[in-house]
Amino acid sequence: MRCAVVADIHANLAAFTAVLEDIERRGGVDEVWCLGDVVGYGPDPHSCIELLRGFNHLCVAGNHDWAAIGRLSTSDFNPYAAAACRWTGQQLSPDDVAYLDRLPLVTHKGDFTLVHGSPREPIWEYLLSPGSAGENFAFFSSPFCLVGHSHVPLVFEYSQTGICSVSEFLDGRVLELGENRMIINPGGVGQPRDGDPRASYAIYDSEARLVSHYRVPYDIGATQAKMVDYGLPMPLVNRLSYGI
Ligand code: ZN
């Protein structure tokens, strides 16, 4: 089975569409696994939910997904994120709201646990250092865990001797799944934050036991033009150009 692993689409339809086209060029997938934050920040929340739901897919809840439907407070959000969240809530259909409300915090498939932030704090914790990632291996039991939330493509590997190391999940890298447990972040589709503005995602091949990482250029200007039209905060518009 082949699965696309996507995270942090953030209502960026141009980026999500470019990723889906790239997946088709690479032979397609049987399932799409989404690590949360389908909405928030970007201009097309309804269309992104609708597009995702058209696939045989799994999805977990992200903080923006639940904030947009009022299930989480935005008091921890910066003012731009909070403003975008209020706008997002107004764009959702009742069916979109019901869909986001039904998303689980954690889901399991085969050798994988899927969460948005971390196994320890599924919706809030950012895994960016080997220290915090290392502690999280005690909070899931499958060999591998997929996370999003930081929008930074990283691989945390836990050695047999209990040492956690981190490496970048660079474009074109093919990760072999072996004995060591791993926490893998495919990076963000709709708002990358590692200094590369291209959309970021991965494909997992269960037979080959490989996870391959890809970057995809998309029409950033198209997303930005819609955001300006809708009056979304300019810092959120501008950051897409830089991948920050
Ligand atoms: Zn996010």
Side-chain angles (χ1 to χ4, degrees):
M1 183 178 66
R2 281 163 54 86
C3 305
V5 184
V6 298
D8 297 286
I9 295 164
H10 280 299
N12 188 337
L13 184 63
F16 190 25
T17 304
V19 162
L20 293 170
E21 287 169 0
D22 194 65
I23 290 166
E24 283 311 306
R25 271 196 297 277
R26 295 179 188 283
V29 291
D30 304 295
E31 290 186 5
V32 175
W33 294 357
C34 176
L35 307 173
D37 279 2
V38 183
V39 304
Y41 295 130
D44 292 300
H46 169 74
S47 303
C48 286
I49 293 172
E50 199 169 50
L51 191 53
L52 177 65
R53 292 181 73 181
F55 288 87
N56 185 13
H57 78 288
L58 299 174
C59 186
V60 290
N63 52 320
H64 285 262
D65 300 319
W66 278 3
I69 60 168
R71 190 161 160 181
L72 283 181
S73 155
T74 55
S75 57
D76 285 340
F77 282 31
N78 68 52
Y80 306 125
C85 185
R86 281 191 296 276
W87 179 86
T88 299
Q90 294 159 5
Q91 316 308 315
L92 300 174
S93 71
D95 197 39
D96 295 336
V97 172
Y99 172 78
L100 295 176
D101 198 30
R102 278 198 307 273
L103 293 177
L105 286 175
V106 183
T107 196
H108 305 276
K109 182 85 189 251
D111 285 342
F112 289 86
T113 297
L114 281 65
V115 293
H116 180 60
S118 79
R120 175 168 57 188
E121 286 282 346
I123 217 159
W124 289 119
E125 185 179 19
Y126 290 92
L127 293 186
L128 286 163
S129 74
S132 57
E135 293 166 12
N136 267 279
F137 281 93
F139 290 81
F140 67 102
S141 54
S142 59
F144 310 108
C145 179
L146 298 168
V147 302
H149 195 41
S150 70
H151 307 196
V152 177
L154 292 173
V155 177
F156 298 98
E157 186 164 354
Y158 200 68
S159 75
Q160 309 287 322
T161 53
I163 307 292
C164 182
S165 58
V166 62
S167 57
E168 290 179 275
F169 206 3
L170 296 171
D171 186 18
R173 181 174 172 192
V174 180
L175 193 62
E176 291 180 34
L177 302 179
E179 293 296 304
N180 288 347
R181 298 178 73 206
M182 292 186 216
I183 298 175
I184 300 164
N185 188 326
V189 170
Q191 193 202 71
R193 292 183 189 162
D194 63 336
D196 182 340
R198 295 176 298 169
S200 184
Y201 81 100
I203 292 178
Y204 163 55
D205 184 323
S206 66
E207 269 123 64
R209 311 261 312 146
L210 299 174
V211 183
S212 307
H213 187 250
Y214 302 106
R215 298 305 284 252
V216 188
Y218 72 95
D219 190 347
I220 296 173
T223 295
Q224 291 173 318
K226 283 188 199 173
M227 291 173 76
V228 170
D229 271 0
Y230 298 150
L232 286 160
M234 283 310 292
L236 299 181
V237 176
N238 293 331
R239 67 187 299 175
L240 295 177
S241 300
Y242 306 103
I244 54 172

